[in-house]
Amino acid sequence: KDLCPIISCVLTVNVPNETKTCDRCGRVGDGTPTLVCNQSLLGSTRNEGWLCYPRLNRLVAFDGSLLHAVVPGIPSEVLGEDEDG
């Protein structure tokens, strides 16, 4: 029996550095996107996916059986107090 939800949702309630905008694509902030694939635990024959970048109060809803994840960002280097910077 299927144990997948009917619908999965992602609600953006905060966007880091919301005042920052990409000149090339218009993306707002430093938030990382949610990846929604057309693959599911129930099976799939194709491999496609969609990226949804965060915007304040954006709600993304999709078929609950689809696999999804947050794409990790590129970490910023953090210098310790004992390191030269």
Side-chain angles (χ1 to χ4, degrees), residues 6-54:
I6 296 171
I7 295 175
S8 291
C9 297
V10 176
L11 174 63
T12 302
V13 294
N14 182 31
V15 179
N17 295 322
E18 189 175 11
T19 58
K20 181 178 169 185
T21 303
C22 177
D23 294 331
R24 290 188 305 157
C25 67
R27 180 172 55 101
V28 176
D30 286 335
T32 57
T34 297
L35 172 65
V36 180
C37 298
N38 68 343
Q39 296 178 346
S40 75
L41 297 175
L42 308 176
S44 176
T45 58
R46 297 185 342 202
N47 187 15
E48 296 176 336
W50 298 268
L51 290 175
C52 183
Y53 285 89

